Amino acid sequence: SATVWNGGAGTLEVTVSSGGSGLEAGSEYVVTFDLVQRSGVSVGTDVSVGATVVDPVLGDLSVAPVVMGGDAETILGHADGWKPLYSFVPETSVSIGQSNHVASAPNTL
């Protein structure tokens, strides 16, 4: 198998071959790959999944791309958190002080 990323078009092409003898009719085939998101914020690009099978007799047999979706729910305070490939940089703000400014007195942080 081979994988080709075309960043300009936003496509990932995965080619699967069974050694030149073709794929067996009626069999299930699973294609997997790892996707590593760049660091930083991403607005959640739409992701579509489609397929094309090249048959020596019938030619190209295609399944039209379908956009991956989901329930538009806010996740961890992010309205677009449900979108595929959405990422954010987490932030935390903490203030630490002391309850008693007298030397040698007990303090609560």
Side-chain angles (χ1 to χ4, degrees):
S1 70
T3 305
V4 178
W5 167 248
N6 180 342
T11 61
L12 176 70
E13 180 179 318
V14 180
T15 304
V16 180
S17 174
S18 64
S21 62
L23 303 176
E24 187 176 325
S27 296
E28 182 176 308
Y29 295 89
V30 178
V31 176
T32 63
F33 56 89
D34 293 327
L35 177 66
V36 179
Q37 180 75 313
R38 67 179 181 268
S39 63
V41 175
S42 172
V43 295
T45 306
D46 288 335
V47 175
S48 297
V49 178
T52 299
V53 175
V54 179
D55 184 272
V57 176
L58 301 174
D60 291 352
L61 306 172
S62 296
V63 175
V66 176
V67 176
M68 289 178 61
D71 297 328
E73 295 183 19
T74 298
I75 298 176
L76 298 175
H78 295 269
D80 292 334
W82 64 275
K83 292 182 177 180
L85 305 181
Y86 178 83
S87 65
F88 64 95
V89 177
E91 295 179 9
T92 303
S93 177
V94 178
S95 295
I96 298 177
Q98 58 189 57
S99 61
N100 192 335
H101 296 284
V102 177
S104 74
N107 278 299
T108 302
L109 296 178

